[in-house]
Amino acid sequence: MADLDYVAPASVAGAIEALAGGGAKVLAGGTDLLVQMRAGRVKPQRIVDLKRIPGLIGVRQENGGFVIGASTSGAELGEHAALIHAWPGVVEAVQLIGSTQVQGRASIGGNLCNASPAADSVPALVAARAICVVVGGQGRRELPVEAVVTAPGATVLAPDEFLLEIRLPPRAARASDAYLRQIPRTEMDIAVVGAGVSLTLDAAGVCSEAHVALGAVAPTVLLVEAAGAALIGTTLDDAALDALAQAAEAACRPISDKRGTAEYRTRIAGVLARRAAAIAYRRASERT
Amino acid sequence: MSDAPTKNRPDTAALKVIGTRPVRPDGVDKVTGRAAYGADFRAPGMLTGRVKRSPHAHARIVSIDTRKARALAGVKAIVTAADFPDLASQEYEAGESASNLRDLAMNVMARNKVLYQGHPVAAVAAVSASIAEAAVALIEVTYETLPHVIDVEAAMAPDAPLLHSHLFTEGVSPRPASPSNIAKRHLFVRGDVDAALAAAEVVIDRRYTTQAVHQGYIEPHACVAEMAADGQCQVWSSSQGQFMVRTYCAKVLGIEISDIRVTPAEIGGGFGGKTTVYLEPLALALSRQSGAPVKMVMTREEVFTATGPTSGSVMHVRLGATREGRITAADVELKFQAGAFPGSPAGAASMTAIACYDVADFRVVGWDVVTNSPKVAAYRAPGAPIAAFAVESAIEELAQQLGLDPIAIRRLNGVRDGMKAAYGPTFENIGFMETLDAIESHPHYKAPLGPNQGRGVAVGFWFNIGGESSAAVHLSEDGGAVVATGSPDIGGSRASMAMMAAEVLGLPVERVRPIVADTASIGFTGLTGGSRTTFATGMAVVQAAEKVIEELKRRAALIWDVPVETVTWEAGAAIGPLDPKGGARRLDLDTLAAQSGRTGGPISAEVSLNAQGAGPGFGAHICDVEVDPETGQVTVLRYTAAQDVGRAIHPSYVEGQVQGGVAQGVGWALNEEYVFDVDGRMENAGFLDYRVPVASDLPMIDAVLVEVPNPRHPFGAKGVGEVPIVPPLAAVANAVRAATGVRLDDLPLSPPKIRAALQKG
């Protein structure tokens, strides 16, 4: 019988060393990894638990932005008032993952590195223009969230690399975000489509910056620049929202599967992008 | 509780326990985690069993090579079909469904052919789970794959892949010359339906489809089984009938029933799905070979791919009616998937399809069709929700065409006492009209609706059954009592047994402890199914308690030295004739119990009976939904379910049964379905993608209990567990139609399907 080794290093260097041997899997909350192991889909020889590394759990404010440790759970993010105020869309996306029990374990970094195109937090992070800090044997590098996942189940991370933290940029005065997903139930499900929208408004309420990201409509989460561009210079009137929805639909390259047809996913991407944009706009407008 | 009109109501004024809501006797164990379910049992030295299952929907087994697996250290036993007797075809009655023992055995372990993905081909016992799993992987099975068929109409086609070369359609004459996948035709006819349809002023003609759905019990099948060197067997397992497990294990293994003792575990849901065996015979065979107890627990994926579900269907309904809405003709054809072996609930569906209505001329045809999917098992009112979806949808359409109120059309055509049911008997003491009254007078029925919202109404019927039950009442020396029955408690029966015994004995319910006894400790009892337990086992409990009282009166007469005929039992005490000095004679239960050792020994009684006269049940439901026109998402806003329950022994449990049935029915209507890939493999064998409703998907379900007592039960009880799942499929679908104006006749009403229908208009 194959043995399974478990280590919980207390430093970044220790974790890199533990990963370097090969056959290792990183453990944060374990809500994906343990399920995959039980189903026989992954068979690691070693589990490297990152949660003892200082900084891997927790949120800190730095240079006007936020730094989120990769192993921070949804429950913890959901209690961070300043983060919720600045990035309500990111927090609501993370908090859609699983049940209350899962929220206590599942991490924001795990949701990204599991590399599912339907990961709820990822479109919100992409729309937020979040930066990932990755460390490994070759040192430290920073890359945008959308550059981490290359295909379902695949990332750019080398075997001895792991996600250290996620950085959210400073927020303008009148800016906000929102995330919506379509599932056939009200909770405990996987997004059929997810849409994250982040907006900045000028003093007159005109959109000066906008980013739109879509989940579950392509092999990886899409940053749809044309959809964001459709909102800039507008007050999100119907014409702008129609253009946004059209751009969102045009970007979709979905599959048909047990969770939804390609046609359905494409149409819903437009519907959700529109609705998420309206929510983000309302939230930003309420800022003074 | 509702104060709906009742008739023949026994005198309720004197009842002290029946109709109250005491703390449930199984409650503390369940909320603290102490309750021992199937997977919680451990025996010293036990091995872990695992099943090797077919990856193919349909294939011939060319060879099974177990040599590599046997050579693995730690592997103690491997069994295949060669380790089980090749049984002859034999029907066996169990509860509300009959099983063919040969089919049952071949479902437990495939012989020559595999008929669905997940069909067992071998089982292994080893000293650890990981070794057992490694051994399963080392078993080499060579298959010759065959074309498969899952869709019911495709399976009925003359050129369909044939599952069983020995299967000739029953119920048609002449007997077919060649075998087919059509196992049986059920036929119920009255009058001349074709003439009645031709003469009808209005005709509704529509086709409906549903997909296979699983019972979705939370607890996977689990057991520990042991066969000793002398052939004596013990089984600990979670099922709806320990006696059913005993019989089926004996038959599948070819051993004596009396050599097996089965102890029931706490059960984590069954809904009909645990009325058969899957693991127990395998575990016994592995124990026989290894000499050690063997524990087997299914994964959720195994539960979905190899147990349950109930049938997917294609149905055709033609209704004829007058312009006033009187239904004159009903022509109903039901095509049901049976899964790998015959035995879909097409028969029960045919009997229930128009049971709520008085129709002069009808023809109901039910087809039982084998398919390359798991053999269906009973699911809560088997077949009735499926047929009701079609018939109640058609009635709704008829009401709309005629501009009739949905309750009015059902009242106009609904059955009443003295009418002959479409399936044969004459109705007595039924409460269908009373349930219609209850929903009509409920504030829900007139509540305003907003944009994109709609309201649906549907009704449902279930037979409810009686049958064989045993119960014992044992007094303890302090005057408390134990009530032992042979009925596993899947819906609160322990509470109702304790309450009925307490009522008769005159004890507070807390002094009556109910248990579910093993097969060696109580007389034969049919499985818990057919909504029979509170009725039939309850009758045995009441009679046993009455026998205990007779004995207590005899003991009191002995103490007083008076004739027993002069002693009465009132409020928990024996009352005798005045003593010679004119003093009252009274001995309470505690005193009599304490003295029992000196008056003839322990006091207990056991009653075994075959209960007849179960009262059929009717339900009437109202459902409000809101449909998101852009996403196709349906939100159930409000739900009211009225049901004739005879007499609610423990109203909270009865309300829970009604709410649970509605919850399952809503899931069936909206999202639940088996999804198969092109190779016939299930794509959604887990609770993530097999979507039962979660709590937040449902509103508070208002259960309205209507009480039209059943005079054949000591307290008037009728079965309650199955009726509530019958109307919801149609109630939801009718509400979605009302909200959208679009007819959707294909379940489930999942968002992509609704959006597509709305786009088409």
Side-chain angles (χ1 to χ4, degrees):
Chain A
M1 292 298 99
D3 286 332
L4 179 62
D5 182 24
Y6 169 89
V7 292
S11 69
V12 169
I16 293 168
E17 191 185 333
L19 288 168
K25 275 281 187 184
V26 161
L27 173 79
T31 57
D32 285 312
L33 179 64
L34 299 189
V35 174
Q36 290 163 7
M37 285 172 64
R38 288 186 70 163
R41 288 206 295 277
V42 296
K43 291 173 179 152
Q45 287 144 34
R46 166 177 281 187
I47 289 175
V48 181
D49 186 343
L50 302 181
K51 293 193 291 296
R52 288 193 193 165
I53 300 170
L56 260 283
I57 295 178
V59 182
R60 63 182 195 274
Q61 285 174 268
E62 220 174 80
N63 305 324
F66 291 86
V67 181
I68 302 171
S71 298
T72 309
S73 71
E76 197 151 336
L77 297 176
E79 291 185 355
H80 199 287
L83 183 70
I84 294 168
H85 181 78
W87 297 100
V90 169
V91 177
E92 71 192 352
V94 177
Q95 295 234 288
L96 284 173
I97 300 164
S99 61
T100 301
Q101 292 91 331
V102 167
Q103 280 289 304
R105 300 293 298 179
S107 69
I108 187 168
N111 195 231
L112 173 63
C113 295
N114 183 53
S116 162
D120 282 307
S121 69
V122 179
L125 287 170
V126 170
R129 309 308 301 127
I131 298 295
C132 289
V133 179
V134 171
V135 289
Q138 300 298 309
R140 171 191 170 104
R141 57 181 173 140
E142 295 190 1
L143 60 170
V145 173
E146 63 274 18
V148 173
V149 177
T150 55
T155 69
V156 296
L157 299 180
D160 69 345
E161 276 188 319
F162 66 91
L163 178 64
L164 183 71
E165 59 199 26
I166 294 170
R167 291 174 170 264
L168 290 167
R171 212 62 171 125
R174 301 189 78 196
S176 197
D177 64 340
Y179 175 77
L180 289 175
R181 69 173 181 184
Q182 169 63 23
I183 56 169
R185 286 187 285 212
T186 47
E187 58 181 326
M188 299 296 291
D189 220 319
I190 302 279
V192 178
V193 177
V197 177
S198 178
L199 301 174
T200 303
L201 309 183
D202 67 17
V206 175
C207 182
S208 58
E209 185 179 351
H211 304 285
V212 177
L214 299 174
V217 293
T220 62
V221 170
L222 300 177
L223 174 63
V224 188
E225 287 174 2
L231 301 177
I232 293 172
T234 78
T235 54
L236 274 67
D237 52 280
D238 281 348
L241 290 171
D242 286 346
L244 159 75
Q246 276 180 23
E249 291 183 18
C252 293
R253 294 175 273 125
I255 55 167
S256 288
D257 69 2
K258 61 198 171 191
R259 295 186 184 133
T261 61
E263 151 76 13
Y264 182 74
R265 286 193 152 109
T266 302
R267 298 299 158 231
I268 297 306
V271 171
L272 293 190
R274 211 185 152 104
R275 291 181 182 182
I279 295 169
Y281 185 80
R282 178 176 51 73
R283 286 175 177 165
S285 305
E286 286 164 2
R287 301 264 155 90
T288 47
Chain B
M1 266 193 288
S2 150
D3 285 324
T6 60
K7 45 195 159 181
N8 304 324
R9 173 177 278 188
D11 176 26
T12 57
L15 295 178
K16 292 189 171 65
V17 183
I18 304 300
T20 65
R21 300 171 185 248
V23 170
R24 47 198 288 179
D26 53 327
V28 170
D29 281 357
K30 284 180 175 164
V31 300
T32 59
R34 199 176 65 156
Y37 292 90
D40 291 324
F41 191 81
R42 286 177 170 74
M46 73 182 187
L47 304 172
T48 299
R50 287 285 189 273
V51 179
K52 174 87 172 180
R53 296 181 183 275
S54 168
H56 304 298
H58 196 192
R60 198 172 312 285
I61 301 171
V62 177
S63 66
I64 304 175
D65 187 342
T66 61
R67 286 171 296 180
K68 283 182 195 162
R70 279 185 197 281
L72 186 65
V75 173
K76 300 297 185 185
I78 298 178
V79 296
T80 65
D83 296 277
F84 296 87
D86 194 354
L87 299 178
S89 179
Q90 183 194 346
E91 291 296 323
Y92 181 83
E93 287 291 335
E96 56 191 12
S97 57
S99 285
N100 184 297
L101 293 174
R102 180 168 184 263
D103 292 344
L104 177 77
M106 296 211 311
N107 194 41
V108 166
M109 185 62 85
R111 189 175 287 276
N112 306 321
K113 269 173 80 168
V114 289
L115 297 162
Y116 56 93
Q117 175 220 1
H119 200 164
V121 292
V124 175
V127 296
S128 74
S130 56
I131 293 173
E133 280 156 20
V136 163
L138 287 171
I139 295 173
E140 292 171 359
V141 185
T142 307
Y143 296 99
E144 175 199 338
T145 57
L146 300 168
H148 72 277
V149 63
I150 292 176
D151 176 80
V152 66
E153 287 190 318
M156 293 173 81
D159 58 346
L162 191 64
L163 272 74
H164 303 285
S165 57
H166 64 268
L167 191 65
F168 292 81
T169 309
E170 281 181 47
V172 293
S173 89
R175 184 180 191 265
S178 51
S180 75
N181 294 324
I182 305 172
K184 189 169 183 175
R185 183 185 70 159
H186 301 267
L187 183 62
F188 297 87
V189 177
R190 183 192 289 166
D192 184 345
V193 74
D194 294 313
L197 279 167
E201 291 169 337
V202 188
V203 173
I204 300 293
D205 184 333
R206 207 161 266 283
R207 178 187 147 97
Y208 302 91
T209 54
T210 69
Q211 299 302 316
V213 299
H214 198 271
Q215 294 81 350
Y217 32 82
I218 299 299
E219 181 199 26
H221 299 261
C223 69
V224 175
E226 176 176 42
M227 187 185 293
D230 62 357
Q232 294 300 300
C233 302
Q234 292 228 63
V235 177
W236 297 265
S237 78
S238 162
S239 78
Q240 288 175 240
Q242 61 273 44
F243 290 91
M244 171 276 298
V245 171
R246 186 176 72 161
T247 303
Y248 284 167
C249 285
K251 298 295 180 189
V252 170
L253 290 158
I255 61 179
E256 298 291 325
I257 288 175
S258 52
D259 285 347
I260 307 177
R261 178 180 180 184
V262 181
T263 303
E266 190 67 64
I267 182 168
F271 312 109
K274 290 176 183 166
T275 58
T276 188
V277 292
Y278 300 100
L279 296 177
E280 292 90 341
L282 301 179
L284 278 172
L286 290 166
S287 179
R288 175 165 61 188
Q289 198 179 95
S290 63
V294 174
K295 180 170 181 171
M296 302 184 83
V297 181
M298 282 195 194
T299 63
R300 181 64 56 192
E301 185 177 2
E302 287 179 297
V303 172
F304 273 114
T305 57
T307 77
T310 194
S311 308
S313 70
V314 174
M315 299 175 284
H316 189 186
V317 178
R318 288 194 299 163
L319 295 179
T322 66
R323 274 189 209 95
E324 291 72 40
R326 187 71 178 92
I327 299 168
T328 53
D331 187 16
V332 180
E333 186 179 30
L334 311 169
K335 300 167 181 170
F336 274 31
Q337 288 170 325
F341 300 96
S344 78
S350 302
M351 292 166 80
T352 59
I354 54 169
C356 291
Y357 301 106
D358 175 47
V359 182
D361 295 271
F362 62 78
R363 173 173 56 212
V364 184
V365 183
W367 298 99
D368 181 27
V369 183
V370 294
T371 52
N372 290 115
S373 47
K375 161 76 171 76
V376 301
Y379 181 17
R380 208 166 187 166
I386 305 170
F389 165 61
V391 171
E392 291 297 295
S393 295
I395 299 244
E396 183 77 11
E397 188 168 356
L398 178 63
Q400 277 177 13
Q401 269 199 22
L402 297 172
L404 286 173
D405 171 82
I407 295 176
I409 194 170
R410 288 172 172 92
R411 199 191 305 282
L412 180 64
N413 293 286
V415 288
R416 293 159 168 85
D417 281 357
M419 288 180 176
K420 192 169 159 57
Y423 65 96
T426 299
F427 285 122
E428 287 175 57
N429 306 300
I430 61 171
F432 183 37
M433 289 302 133
E434 288 83 348
T435 64
L436 290 176
D437 295 343
I439 59 165
E440 188 163 42
S441 60
H442 195 285
H444 181 173
Y445 195 58
K446 301 271 183 330
L449 290 165
N452 299 315
Q453 297 179 357
R455 178 165 298 147
V457 167
V459 299
F461 161 87
W462 187 247
F463 315 94
N464 301 324
I465 59 169
E468 297 168 83
S469 283
S470 300
V473 174
H474 306 291
L475 288 191
S476 49
E477 52 272 42
D478 67 354
V482 169
V483 175
T485 74
S487 295
D489 178 0
I490 60 172
S493 59
R494 273 169 299 188
S496 63
M497 298 305 144
M499 291 173 73
M500 286 186 275
E503 188 72 61
V504 175
L505 295 169
L507 282 173
V509 69
E510 294 76 18
R511 293 194 71 197
V512 180
R513 300 309 304 178
I515 67 147
V516 183
D518 69 78
T519 56
S521 307
I522 193 78
F524 178 86
T525 301
L527 56 80
T528 298
S531 299
R532 63 178 290 278
T533 301
T534 298
F535 175 74
T537 307
M539 201 181 281
V541 166
V542 168
Q543 290 184 15
E546 287 169 348
K547 280 175 80 173
V548 163
I549 286 173
E550 287 309 306
E551 181 62 17
L552 287 164
K553 284 157 65 179
R554 203 180 65 78
R555 301 294 176 93
L558 204 65
I559 291 168
W560 291 323
D561 194 20
V562 300
V564 67
E565 304 80 42
T566 63
V567 180
T568 58
W569 188 263
E570 288 165 30
I575 308 295
L578 299 180
D579 67 26
K581 293 171 190 161
R585 278 199 178 108
R586 184 179 184 281
L587 283 169
D588 65 15
L589 199 152
D590 289 12
T591 312
L592 288 166
Q595 293 182 19
S596 62
R598 293 195 297 279
T599 59
I603 297 171
S604 64
E606 180 164 343
V607 168
S608 293
L609 50 69
N610 188 346
Q612 304 298 316
F618 292 83
H621 294 192
I622 317 169
C623 175
D624 290 356
V625 301
E626 180 168 328
V627 179
D628 183 328
E630 287 187 308
T631 63
Q633 185 93 353
V634 176
T635 304
V636 180
L637 301 170
R638 187 170 183 181
Y639 204 105
T640 301
Q643 185 174 324
D644 170 27
V645 301
R647 156 81 29 75
I649 305 297
H650 191 308
S652 301
Y653 263 119
V654 175
E655 289 157 3
Q657 284 291 325
V658 173
Q659 291 163 335
V662 171
Q664 287 187 308
V666 168
W668 198 337
L670 290 181
N671 280 306
E672 293 183 41
E673 63 176 320
Y674 269 55
V675 180
F676 294 99
D677 70 12
V678 291
D679 297 317
R681 297 185 179 108
M682 189 181 178
E683 287 197 284
N684 57 336
F687 278 136
L688 181 56
D689 284 305
Y690 181 89
R691 293 186 173 81
V692 301
V694 297
S696 54
D697 291 334
L698 295 164
M700 185 64 193
I701 295 155
D702 190 359
V704 180
L705 305 185
V706 175
E707 297 192 310
V708 179
N710 174 11
R712 304 290 295 269
H713 183 270
F715 297 112
K718 292 175 180 171
V720 300
E722 291 174 290
V723 174
I725 199 175
V726 182
L729 285 61
V732 172
N734 288 341
V736 170
R737 288 183 192 114
T740 61
V742 175
R743 308 205 73 83
L744 289 148
D745 299 326
D746 176 27
L747 295 188
L749 303 177
S750 53
K753 217 183 269 178
I754 291 184
R755 190 188 144 95
L758 290 175
Q759 299 302 307
K760 262 194 286 177

